[in-house]
Amino acid sequence: MHVLLTGAAGFIGEHIHEALLAAGHDVTAVDALLPSAHGSAPRRTSRVTTVDVRDPDALDEVMVGVDAVCHQAAVVGAGVSMADAPAYASHNDLGTAEVLAAMTRARCRNLVLASSMVVYGEGRYRCPTHGIVRPRHRQPSDLRNGVFDATCPEGGEQVTWETVDESAPLEPRSLYAASKLAQENYALAWSLATGGTVTALRYHNVYGDRMPRDTPYSGVAAMFRSSLESGEPPTVYEDGAQMRDFVDVRDVAAANVAALDRAGEGFVACNVCSGHPISIGDVARILCRAHGGGIEPTVTGQFRPGDVRHIVAGAVLADDVLGFRAAIGPEEGLTRFAFAPLRAASDGSAPVV
């Protein structure tokens, strides 16, 4: 299969590129090489062509003969300020719309879309009295007083988290989340209009080799790594009991390869996760232990407005639809990640339109 891979020079994109080639696919790899992601002097390779997916003429050139598109190109991170909003809308939403238009012109009918768990907002919760509920938004006054757990919106009871499946309500709470949901909506509309196949992969917390070093837009695993390399304890927000799913980038790449072979038309969204819930505090402790011991995480009680308390993925649908199961658990993967090579830090600048 001839695959167009966008965002091919990124952390996840590089791993997908390698997995596609290993699976025998012919790959056309493109990337805009944005300074906010790659620095002012990005590493260039002959395997990747510089293309901004917002450029329809450039897309038409690289779309010739393509059977499927694996669309990874996006501005990532939650967004440091609302001033970042135009960049997210431009690169993620307009970029995806241009990719879909180019696919239509080229009569290409198979799209694998990089989405994210952030489209869910808060995870799934059960109240002992009222069953499954959507908890109230956590209030800054409670967070300042160390009250981090969500409560039932009906009676105020303590609620417990459950895994989130793909039918859960979608409630994006950041610029990035809003843009990822918009990408899914554009892709769904395209699928309905053209009869094309869309597989939206909702990545959970991805980590692994060649992850970017600490920037304001990095994931927490890279931030913990950066602290340890500086001889400092990782800083854990709240009480460290926030539950997540951390998935190794090699498993994410395998999910993309599996998605290209999905049978049938239409839109489907699948969680891509390890299937093994883990707390943020335990992620920090595993990395500290693997890094040689002697350092313990610092649990600060600080918080970031808009952060969700728990979000843990259900892994069933990806197995049923794609035949995909993650092969690497968090203990194994994070232990390896403690000394995995990372990307050189970018300049940490905000994304620009």
Side-chain angles (χ1 to χ4, degrees), residues 267-304:
F267 177 98
V268 66
C270 294
N271 290 325
V272 175
C273 60
S274 73
H276 297 281
I278 187 171
S279 72
I280 296 294
D282 281 342
V283 170
R285 283 185 280 273
I286 289 170
L287 290 171
C288 285
R289 186 168 61 248
H291 219 264
I295 296 179
E296 290 294 324
T298 299
V299 181
T300 67
Q302 295 175 328
F303 63 92
R304 290 176 294 196

Short mmCIF file of all heavy atoms in Angstrom, two decimals, residues 267-304:
data_model
loop_
_atom_site.label_atom_id
_atom_site.label_comp_id
_atom_site.label_asym_id
_atom_site.label_seq_id
_atom_site.Cartn_x
_atom_site.Cartn_y
_atom_site.Cartn_z
N PHE A 267 -16.77 5.75 9.72
CA PHE A 267 -15.93 6.34 10.76
C PHE A 267 -15.98 5.49 12.02
O PHE A 267 -17.05 5.09 12.47
CB PHE A 267 -16.44 7.75 11.07
CG PHE A 267 -15.71 8.46 12.18
CD1 PHE A 267 -14.71 9.38 11.89
CD2 PHE A 267 -16.03 8.22 13.51
CE1 PHE A 267 -14.05 10.05 12.91
CE2 PHE A 267 -15.37 8.89 14.53
CZ PHE A 267 -14.37 9.80 14.23
N VAL A 268 -14.81 5.25 12.60
CA VAL A 268 -14.75 4.61 13.91
C VAL A 268 -13.61 5.25 14.70
O VAL A 268 -12.57 5.58 14.13
CB VAL A 268 -14.57 3.09 13.82
CG1 VAL A 268 -13.21 2.72 13.23
CG2 VAL A 268 -14.76 2.43 15.17
N ALA A 269 -13.83 5.46 15.98
CA ALA A 269 -12.79 5.98 16.87
C ALA A 269 -12.42 4.89 17.87
O ALA A 269 -13.30 4.23 18.43
CB ALA A 269 -13.28 7.22 17.60
N CYS A 270 -11.12 4.71 18.09
CA CYS A 270 -10.63 3.68 19.01
C CYS A 270 -9.61 4.28 19.97
O CYS A 270 -8.70 5.01 19.54
CB CYS A 270 -9.96 2.54 18.24
SG CYS A 270 -11.04 1.58 17.18
N ASN A 271 -9.74 3.93 21.25
CA ASN A 271 -8.69 4.26 22.20
C ASN A 271 -7.43 3.48 21.87
O ASN A 271 -7.50 2.28 21.54
CB ASN A 271 -9.12 3.88 23.62
CG ASN A 271 -10.21 4.77 24.17
OD1 ASN A 271 -10.24 5.96 23.88
ND2 ASN A 271 -11.09 4.21 24.97
N VAL A 272 -6.30 4.13 21.96
CA VAL A 272 -5.00 3.46 21.83
C VAL A 272 -4.30 3.63 23.17
O VAL A 272 -3.91 4.74 23.54
CB VAL A 272 -4.16 4.04 20.68
CG1 VAL A 272 -2.77 3.42 20.65
CG2 VAL A 272 -4.88 3.82 19.36
N CYS A 273 -4.16 2.54 23.89
CA CYS A 273 -3.71 2.60 25.28
C CYS A 273 -3.03 1.29 25.65
O CYS A 273 -3.07 0.32 24.90
CB CYS A 273 -4.91 2.85 26.20
SG CYS A 273 -6.19 1.56 26.09
N SER A 274 -2.42 1.27 26.81
CA SER A 274 -1.77 0.04 27.28
C SER A 274 -2.77 -0.93 27.89
O SER A 274 -2.52 -2.13 27.94
CB SER A 274 -0.70 0.37 28.33
OG SER A 274 -1.29 0.75 29.56
N GLY A 275 -3.89 -0.39 28.40
CA GLY A 275 -4.85 -1.23 29.11
C GLY A 275 -4.48 -1.47 30.56
O GLY A 275 -5.12 -2.28 31.24
N HIS A 276 -3.45 -0.75 31.06
CA HIS A 276 -2.99 -0.92 32.44
C HIS A 276 -2.97 0.45 33.12
O HIS A 276 -2.00 1.20 32.98
CB HIS A 276 -1.60 -1.55 32.47
CG HIS A 276 -1.54 -2.92 31.88
ND1 HIS A 276 -1.95 -4.04 32.57
CD2 HIS A 276 -1.15 -3.35 30.65
CE1 HIS A 276 -1.79 -5.11 31.81
NE2 HIS A 276 -1.31 -4.71 30.63
N PRO A 277 -4.01 0.80 33.87
CA PRO A 277 -4.05 2.11 34.53
C PRO A 277 -2.88 2.29 35.50
O PRO A 277 -2.42 1.34 36.13
CB PRO A 277 -5.38 2.08 35.30
CG PRO A 277 -6.20 1.03 34.62
CD PRO A 277 -5.23 0.01 34.12
N ILE A 278 -2.43 3.54 35.61
CA ILE A 278 -1.32 3.85 36.50
C ILE A 278 -1.48 5.30 36.97
O ILE A 278 -1.97 6.15 36.24
CB ILE A 278 0.04 3.65 35.78
CG1 ILE A 278 1.21 3.80 36.75
CG2 ILE A 278 0.18 4.58 34.58
CD1 ILE A 278 2.54 3.38 36.15
N SER A 279 -1.07 5.56 38.21
CA SER A 279 -1.16 6.92 38.73
C SER A 279 0.04 7.74 38.27
O SER A 279 1.12 7.20 37.98
CB SER A 279 -1.23 6.92 40.26
OG SER A 279 0.02 6.57 40.82
N ILE A 280 -0.15 9.06 38.22
CA ILE A 280 0.95 9.96 37.87
C ILE A 280 2.10 9.81 38.87
O ILE A 280 3.28 9.81 38.50
CB ILE A 280 0.46 11.41 37.83
CG1 ILE A 280 -0.59 11.60 36.72
CG2 ILE A 280 1.63 12.37 37.63
CD1 ILE A 280 -0.07 11.43 35.32
N GLY A 281 1.76 9.65 40.15
CA GLY A 281 2.79 9.45 41.15
C GLY A 281 3.60 8.20 40.91
O GLY A 281 4.83 8.19 41.07
N ASP A 282 2.93 7.12 40.49
CA ASP A 282 3.66 5.87 40.22
C ASP A 282 4.54 5.99 38.98
O ASP A 282 5.61 5.38 38.91
CB ASP A 282 2.69 4.70 40.07
CG ASP A 282 2.19 4.18 41.41
OD1 ASP A 282 2.84 4.49 42.43
OD2 ASP A 282 1.17 3.47 41.44
N VAL A 283 4.11 6.75 37.98
CA VAL A 283 4.97 7.00 36.83
C VAL A 283 6.27 7.65 37.29
O VAL A 283 7.37 7.22 36.90
CB VAL A 283 4.26 7.92 35.80
CG1 VAL A 283 5.23 8.38 34.71
CG2 VAL A 283 3.07 7.19 35.18
N ALA A 284 6.17 8.66 38.13
CA ALA A 284 7.37 9.34 38.64
C ALA A 284 8.23 8.39 39.46
O ALA A 284 9.46 8.39 39.35
CB ALA A 284 6.97 10.55 39.47
N ARG A 285 7.59 7.55 40.28
CA ARG A 285 8.36 6.63 41.13
C ARG A 285 9.08 5.56 40.30
O ARG A 285 10.22 5.20 40.60
CB ARG A 285 7.43 6.00 42.17
CG ARG A 285 7.11 6.95 43.33
CD ARG A 285 6.28 6.28 44.40
NE ARG A 285 4.88 6.22 44.05
CZ ARG A 285 4.00 7.20 44.30
NH1 ARG A 285 4.39 8.32 44.90
NH2 ARG A 285 2.74 7.07 43.95
N ILE A 286 8.43 5.05 39.27
CA ILE A 286 9.09 4.06 38.40
C ILE A 286 10.32 4.67 37.75
O ILE A 286 11.39 4.06 37.69
CB ILE A 286 8.10 3.53 37.33
CG1 ILE A 286 7.04 2.64 37.98
CG2 ILE A 286 8.85 2.76 36.24
CD1 ILE A 286 5.90 2.26 37.04
N LEU A 287 10.18 5.90 37.23
CA LEU A 287 11.31 6.55 36.59
C LEU A 287 12.43 6.82 37.58
O LEU A 287 13.61 6.64 37.27
CB LEU A 287 10.85 7.84 35.91
CG LEU A 287 9.97 7.66 34.67
CD1 LEU A 287 9.39 8.99 34.22
CD2 LEU A 287 10.74 7.01 33.53
N CYS A 288 12.08 7.25 38.79
CA CYS A 288 13.11 7.49 39.82
C CYS A 288 13.85 6.20 40.14
O CYS A 288 15.09 6.17 40.22
CB CYS A 288 12.47 8.05 41.08
SG CYS A 288 11.96 9.78 40.98
N ARG A 289 13.11 5.13 40.33
CA ARG A 289 13.72 3.84 40.68
C ARG A 289 14.61 3.34 39.55
O ARG A 289 15.73 2.89 39.78
CB ARG A 289 12.62 2.83 40.99
CG ARG A 289 13.11 1.50 41.51
CD ARG A 289 11.97 0.67 42.08
NE ARG A 289 10.95 0.35 41.10
CZ ARG A 289 9.70 0.83 41.12
NH1 ARG A 289 9.32 1.68 42.06
NH2 ARG A 289 8.83 0.48 40.18
N ALA A 290 14.10 3.44 38.31
CA ALA A 290 14.89 2.96 37.17
C ALA A 290 16.12 3.81 36.93
O ALA A 290 17.13 3.33 36.40
CB ALA A 290 14.02 2.93 35.91
N HIS A 291 16.06 5.07 37.35
CA HIS A 291 17.17 5.99 37.11
C HIS A 291 18.30 5.79 38.11
O HIS A 291 19.30 6.50 38.07
CB HIS A 291 16.66 7.43 37.14
CG HIS A 291 17.29 8.32 36.13
ND1 HIS A 291 18.37 9.13 36.38
CD2 HIS A 291 17.00 8.52 34.81
CE1 HIS A 291 18.70 9.79 35.30
NE2 HIS A 291 17.89 9.46 34.33
N GLY A 292 18.14 4.87 39.02
CA GLY A 292 19.23 4.56 39.94
C GLY A 292 18.91 4.77 41.39
O GLY A 292 19.73 4.49 42.26
N GLY A 293 17.70 5.26 41.69
CA GLY A 293 17.33 5.44 43.08
C GLY A 293 17.98 6.66 43.69
O GLY A 293 18.77 7.37 43.07
N GLY A 294 17.65 6.88 44.96
CA GLY A 294 18.22 8.02 45.67
C GLY A 294 17.44 9.30 45.54
O GLY A 294 17.69 10.27 46.25
N ILE A 295 16.50 9.35 44.60
CA ILE A 295 15.64 10.51 44.41
C ILE A 295 14.19 10.05 44.48
O ILE A 295 13.83 9.04 43.88
CB ILE A 295 15.91 11.21 43.06
CG1 ILE A 295 17.33 11.77 43.00
CG2 ILE A 295 14.90 12.33 42.81
CD1 ILE A 295 17.66 12.45 41.69
N GLU A 296 13.38 10.78 45.20
CA GLU A 296 11.95 10.52 45.27
C GLU A 296 11.20 11.70 44.68
O GLU A 296 11.65 12.85 44.78
CB GLU A 296 11.51 10.30 46.72
CG GLU A 296 12.01 8.99 47.33
CD GLU A 296 11.39 7.77 46.65
OE1 GLU A 296 10.20 7.85 46.28
OE2 GLU A 296 12.11 6.77 46.49
N PRO A 297 10.05 11.46 44.07
CA PRO A 297 9.27 12.58 43.52
C PRO A 297 8.84 13.54 44.62
O PRO A 297 8.65 13.15 45.78
CB PRO A 297 8.05 11.89 42.89
CG PRO A 297 8.41 10.46 42.76
CD PRO A 297 9.40 10.16 43.84
N THR A 298 8.69 14.79 44.25
CA THR A 298 8.14 15.80 45.14
C THR A 298 6.67 16.01 44.80
O THR A 298 6.36 16.44 43.68
CB THR A 298 8.90 17.13 45.00
OG1 THR A 298 10.27 16.94 45.35
CG2 THR A 298 8.30 18.19 45.90
N VAL A 299 5.80 15.65 45.72
CA VAL A 299 4.36 15.83 45.52
C VAL A 299 3.99 17.20 46.10
O VAL A 299 4.09 17.41 47.31
CB VAL A 299 3.56 14.70 46.19
CG1 VAL A 299 2.06 14.91 45.95
CG2 VAL A 299 4.01 13.34 45.65
N THR A 300 3.60 18.12 45.22
CA THR A 300 3.51 19.53 45.61
C THR A 300 2.14 19.98 46.10
O THR A 300 2.05 20.99 46.80
CB THR A 300 3.90 20.41 44.42
OG1 THR A 300 2.89 20.26 43.40
CG2 THR A 300 5.26 20.04 43.87
N GLY A 301 1.08 19.28 45.70
CA GLY A 301 -0.25 19.80 45.99
C GLY A 301 -0.67 20.93 45.08
O GLY A 301 -1.80 21.40 45.15
N GLN A 302 0.24 21.39 44.21
CA GLN A 302 -0.12 22.42 43.25
C GLN A 302 -1.04 21.83 42.19
O GLN A 302 -1.14 20.60 42.04
CB GLN A 302 1.13 23.00 42.60
CG GLN A 302 2.04 23.74 43.58
CD GLN A 302 3.33 24.19 42.92
OE1 GLN A 302 3.84 23.53 42.02
NE2 GLN A 302 3.86 25.32 43.38
N PHE A 303 -1.68 22.68 41.43
CA PHE A 303 -2.61 22.20 40.41
C PHE A 303 -2.59 23.14 39.23
O PHE A 303 -2.13 24.28 39.33
CB PHE A 303 -4.03 22.10 40.97
CG PHE A 303 -4.61 23.43 41.40
CD1 PHE A 303 -5.36 24.20 40.52
CD2 PHE A 303 -4.39 23.91 42.69
CE1 PHE A 303 -5.88 25.43 40.91
CE2 PHE A 303 -4.91 25.14 43.08
CZ PHE A 303 -5.65 25.89 42.20
N ARG A 304 -3.07 22.62 38.11
CA ARG A 304 -3.22 23.43 36.90
C ARG A 304 -4.70 23.54 36.57
O ARG A 304 -5.37 22.50 36.45
CB ARG A 304 -2.45 22.81 35.74
CG ARG A 304 -0.95 22.88 35.90
CD ARG A 304 -0.22 22.17 34.78
NE ARG A 304 -0.47 20.74 34.82
CZ ARG A 304 0.26 19.84 34.16
NH1 ARG A 304 1.27 20.24 33.42
NH2 ARG A 304 -0.02 18.56 34.25
#
